[in-house]
Amino acid sequence: MYDRRVRPGDLLDGRFRLEREAGAGGMGVVCQAHDLHTGEAVAIKLLHGDRAASARFQREARVLAQLKHPAIVHYVAHGVTAGSMFLAMEWLEGEDLGERLKRGPLAVADALHLARRIADALALAHLRGIVHRDLKPSNVFLRGGSVRDVVLLDFGIARVQAASVVMTGAGTVLGTPGYMAPEQVRGDPLIDARADVFSLGCVLFECLTGRAVFVGDSTIALLAKILMEEAPRASELRGGLHAAIDDTVARMLDKEPETRFVDGAAVRDAIAALE
């Protein structure tokens, strides 16, 4: 259902004509709308939630507003209208990577291209001091269903390292089990770009093998494996994988941040050398 204060046909901020609800979650709803300024379809995220949800919503809007990259969902506008906070972004048609991977792994060339493109998007974020912290297949969208045209979504729990106000304190775990770096699982207070490198390694591993790096019967078991077990080699699950690719994925998945690639730019350059 829409927020009680907005309905299909409503005009938000004098610019966006709501057309239909496209999805809903714990923090609000996403609607398809018509942008009267450009004539294009846009996605409108409407918030309903508590103060913490509001802070994350505003953080996502501010982060997206400063990240202009073909592999990052395009920011259009944000604000408050009819008592509701909203964030307008480009409208995407296609499917997310998680849905695609249900049908099996990707071709090696496609997996490397996808990972390099996401790494390039992360390179821009990391250059601005922004750590995504929730990179996973469902947050990677395939425009038109193409694995060659991917878009990074959902900066709702992104951390701006230079920010004077930290959104969460030490001991607080934010992220998605199965794609979190060990330091995220521990709740370390300082999470940097190397956590995104680990998460991208998890995504690349899954693209190559068709299964997640870590599998557990419960969240606790899964988190324990991330902390205690070494990640399997991708070559153990996909025969014929070039050793250099196998080594690159393994380095991204190293439990020690100091051993991983330092940021998205370093991953991009390493993958480019493999293609």
Side-chain angles (χ1 to χ4, degrees), residues 1-4 6 18 20-32 43-49 57 84-87 89:
M1 297 291 292
Y2 283 105
D3 186 287
R4 292 178 181 178
V6 294
L18 294 182
R20 66 180 180 89
E21 182 178 321
M27 288 178 59
V29 297
V30 176
C31 306
Q32 184 178 15
I44 301 287
K45 183 184 289 189
L46 290 160
L47 174 72
H48 61 70
F57 193 90
S84 296
M85 296 180 63
F86 76 90
L87 170 59
M89 300 166 285

Side-chain angles (χ1 to χ4, degrees), residues 60 64 67 69-74 89-90 92 117-123 125-126 132 134-136 138-143 149-155 196 200:
E60 180 177 19
L64 284 181
L67 295 178
H69 189 283
I72 295 175
V73 63
H74 297 163
M89 300 166 285
E90 68 172 305
L92 295 168
R117 185 175 168 92
I118 293 300
D120 193 51
L122 289 173
H126 295 161
H132 188 283
D134 197 21
L135 181 56
K136 55 186 176 181
S138 62
N139 279 341
V140 176
F141 198 86
L142 313 181
R143 280 195 187 102
D149 190 4
V150 299
V151 186
L152 183 57
L153 307 175
D154 199 352
F155 283 78
D196 284 346
L200 182 55

Side-chain angles (χ1 to χ4, degrees), residues 103-140:
R103 303 194 294 273
L106 305 183
V108 172
D110 286 341
L112 293 177
H113 179 89
L114 181 149
R116 178 170 57 81
R117 185 175 168 92
I118 293 300
D120 193 51
L122 289 173
L124 173 62
H126 295 161
L127 183 64
R128 303 282 177 84
I130 296 166
V131 183
H132 188 283
R133 297 201 298 178
D134 197 21
L135 181 56
K136 55 186 176 181
S138 62
N139 279 341
V140 176

Side-chain angles (χ1 to χ4, degrees), residues 1-274:
M1 297 291 292
Y2 283 105
D3 186 287
R4 292 178 181 178
R5 291 160 291 194
V6 294
R7 292 287 186 272
D10 283 355
L11 186 63
L12 298 187
D13 203 36
R15 175 176 178 180
F16 305 105
R17 181 78 66 188
L18 294 182
E19 295 182 343
R20 66 180 180 89
E21 182 178 321
M27 288 178 59
V29 297
V30 176
C31 306
Q32 184 178 15
H34 180 73
D35 184 348
L36 299 183
H37 287 191
T38 66
E40 297 180 350
V42 294
I44 301 287
K45 183 184 289 189
L46 290 160
L47 174 72
H48 61 70
D50 57 17
R51 184 174 298 177
S54 176
R56 293 181 188 180
F57 193 90
Q58 293 182 66
R59 174 65 58 84
E60 180 177 19
R62 290 196 298 268
V63 166
L64 284 181
Q66 61 178 300
L67 295 178
K68 299 186 186 302
H69 189 283
I72 295 175
V73 63
H74 297 163
Y75 165 90
V76 178
H78 74 282
V80 179
T81 184
S84 296
M85 296 180 63
F86 76 90
L87 170 59
M89 300 166 285
E90 68 172 305
W91 178 259
L92 295 168
E93 295 282 358
E95 65 178 344
D96 67 52
L97 179 60
E99 289 298 315
R100 168 60 187 83
L101 290 176
K102 290 178 181 178
R103 303 194 294 273
L106 305 183
V108 172
D110 286 341
L112 293 177
H113 179 89
L114 181 149
R116 178 170 57 81
R117 185 175 168 92
I118 293 300
D120 193 51
L122 289 173
L124 173 62
H126 295 161
L127 183 64
R128 303 282 177 84
I130 296 166
V131 183
H132 188 283
R133 297 201 298 178
D134 197 21
L135 181 56
K136 55 186 176 181
S138 62
N139 279 341
V140 176
F141 198 86
L142 313 181
R143 280 195 187 102
S146 172
V147 296
R148 293 274 169 166
D149 190 4
V150 299
V151 186
L152 183 57
L153 307 175
D154 199 352
F155 283 78
I157 65 169
R159 167 85 175 270
V160 181
Q161 292 176 290
S164 59
V165 178
V166 178
M167 205 163 58
T168 56
T172 300
V173 176
L174 281 177
T176 299
Y179 301 93
M180 296 166 62
E183 58 268 30
Q184 286 179 279
V185 174
R186 290 191 299 266
D188 290 358
L190 298 177
I191 302 298
D192 62 21
R194 294 169 295 183
D196 284 346
V197 169
F198 185 94
S199 299
L200 182 55
C202 291
V203 172
L204 178 53
F205 181 98
E206 194 165 344
C207 287
L208 290 168
T209 68
R211 56 146 275 188
V213 179
F214 299 103
V215 179
D217 294 331
S218 67
T219 299
I220 295 299
L222 188 57
L223 297 180
K225 286 187 176 184
I226 293 173
L227 289 175
M228 305 300 296
E229 292 187 6
E230 292 301 320
R233 301 281 294 200
S235 59
E236 296 172 10
L237 298 168
R238 183 162 189 159
L241 193 64
H242 194 285
I245 298 174
D246 201 30
D247 290 344
T248 296
V249 177
R251 182 176 174 186
M252 295 170 72
L253 292 172
D254 198 289
K255 293 201 181 302
E256 298 300 327
E258 294 78 12
T259 309
R260 294 178 214 141
F261 298 100
V262 68
D263 58 16
V267 174
R268 175 198 62 208
D269 295 345
I271 293 176
L274 301 172

